[in-house]
């Protein structure tokens, strides 16, 4: 059974770098045809798609984000990462790491528990 566990700083100041990681067990991140998708949910709002890194390392991200993300992976650690170089204020959200099935309309079949990131000075 695939399990995902997000890790983050909990609190970050505006304009600072935000780095998150997702440890994946029970399945390799290089297996076809899965993608590893980051989602976020601000308080009181719906889920927002951030981006994805596919089994072959290719990445795609939402063009609507206020800060451009960087999505990467470490195949040795079986881990994916998400980084925002500059976090704007009022960007508090719960971040989720998920597994998507790329050949099934990117259906998200497995979710981590999520990690809350509070943006505050």
């Amino acid at each position: 059974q695939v399990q995902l566990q997000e890790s983050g700083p909990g609190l970050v100041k505006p304009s600072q770098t935000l780095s998150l990681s997702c440890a994946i067990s029970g399945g390799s991140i290089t297996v076809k045809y899965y993608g590893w998708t980051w989602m976020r949910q601000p308080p009181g709002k719906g889920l927002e798609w951030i981006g994805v890194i596919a089994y072959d390392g290719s990445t795609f991200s939402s063009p609507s984000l206020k800060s451009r993300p960087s999505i990467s992976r470490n195949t040795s650690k079986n881990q994916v990462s998400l980084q925002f170089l500059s976090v704007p204020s009022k960007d508090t959200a719960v971040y989720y790491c998920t597994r998507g099935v790329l050949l099934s309309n990117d259906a998200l079949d497995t979710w981590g528990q999520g990690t809350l990131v509070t943006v505050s000075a």
Side-chain angles (χ1 to χ4, degrees), residues 1 6 22 27 29 69 75 88 94:
Q1 182 178 355
E6 304 91 342
C22 177
I29 61 174
T75 56
V94 176

Side-chain angles (χ1 to χ4, degrees), residues 4-12 16-22 37-43 47-51 65-67 69 81-84 86-98 111-119:
L4 300 84
Q5 180 64 60
E6 304 91 342
S7 297
L11 177 68
V12 66
Q16 291 189 334
T17 297
L18 171 61
S19 297
L20 300 164
S21 64
C22 177
T37 299
W38 287 99
M39 306 284 289
R40 79 182 208 121
Q41 186 171 33
L47 288 164
E48 179 184 14
W49 182 75
I50 298 173
L65 298 173
K66 290 178 286 187
S67 179
S81 299
L82 172 68
Q83 184 176 78
F84 293 90
S86 181
V87 180
S89 61
K90 301 180 180 180
D91 212 27
T92 295
V94 176
Y95 288 79
Y96 296 95
C97 180
T98 72
W111 292 66
Q113 292 298 112
T115 182
L116 175 65
V117 177
T118 300
V119 181

Side-chain angles (χ1 to χ4, degrees), residues 22-97:
C22 177
I24 301 161
S25 62
S28 174
I29 61 174
T30 66
V31 172
K32 297 180 181 178
Y33 289 94
Y34 291 113
W36 306 93
T37 299
W38 287 99
M39 306 284 289
R40 79 182 208 121
Q41 186 171 33
K45 299 182 179 180
L47 288 164
E48 179 184 14
W49 182 75
I50 298 173
V52 59
I53 183 164
Y55 63 94
D56 62 355
S58 59
T59 59
F60 304 90
S61 63
S62 173
S64 64
L65 298 173
K66 290 178 286 187
S67 179
R68 181 176 296 179
S70 178
I71 302 174
S72 60
R73 68 178 184 174
N74 187 322
T75 56
S76 297
K77 297 180 179 180
N78 208 46
Q79 179 176 289
V80 299
S81 299
L82 172 68
Q83 184 176 78
F84 293 90
L85 293 181
S86 181
V87 180
S89 61
K90 301 180 180 180
D91 212 27
T92 295
V94 176
Y95 288 79
Y96 296 95
C97 180

